Every structure is written in C-alpha cells, then in structure tokens.
Amino acid sequence: SLSLQQPVNTSILNILSASIVSMRETSPGQCLLHLQISEQSLLAQITRKSCEILGLKNGMQVFAQIKGCSVFKQR
C-alpha cells in the first residue's frame, strides 16, 4: 500500500520512503507504479481509484508499506 504521509501507529513494520518513477494502467481499475527507493526499484499495484484519490503523479514522494508479500528480484 502507499501513503502520502509517513504512517504512525501501524502494525506494518516495513515502511519505505519512495519516489514515483512511472505509472500505467495495467487493466481496468488497476495501476502499476514503478517506485525508486535509493538505488532500488519497487513495483506497486494499486487500484485506479486509490491512485486518483491520492492524486498520485510521477515524481511524487510516497511511503510504500509492505506487509506479507513475495518480493522478486528483477533480472
């Protein structure tokens, strides 16, 4: 999940400051965001509605919250 402000009082322990590199709609109602965290990349898939509500744009700073997921290294 993504947040515009650093989350507090949450059970999610993995919270990373990131910048949005690119965004694209992958299917009706779904957006894939390419995030940059230092020298690492992270992909986040969220709903188009969430993207619109948060007003996400390329270059914005966000907080990526990671909980119970699979992480793949891109080759």
Side-chain angles (χ1 to χ4, degrees):
S1 72
L2 300 176
S3 176
L4 297 179
Q5 298 175 359
Q6 186 164 11
V8 294
N9 301 325
T10 176
S11 65
I12 298 175
L13 301 177
N14 302 303
I15 301 171
L16 306 168
S17 179
S19 119
I20 300 173
V21 175
S22 65
M23 307 170 21
R24 67 182 172 93
E25 193 166 340
T26 55
S27 63
Q30 295 291 309
C31 291
L32 185 67
L33 286 76
H34 173 197
L35 306 175
Q36 192 70 36
I37 303 167
S38 295
E39 296 184 22
Q40 299 295 317
S41 291
L42 180 70
L43 296 176
Q45 186 163 341
I46 63 172
T47 64
R48 184 175 43 135
K49 182 175 182 175
S50 291
C51 194
E52 291 170 357
I53 289 171
L54 292 174
L56 299 178
K57 306 266 186 255
N58 289 343
M60 284 182 74
Q61 290 296 122
V62 294
F63 290 91
Q65 304 175 96
I66 304 167
K67 181 170 181 150
C69 69
S70 297
V71 178
F72 297 95
K73 182 176 181 178
Q74 186 174 10
R75 296 178 189 202

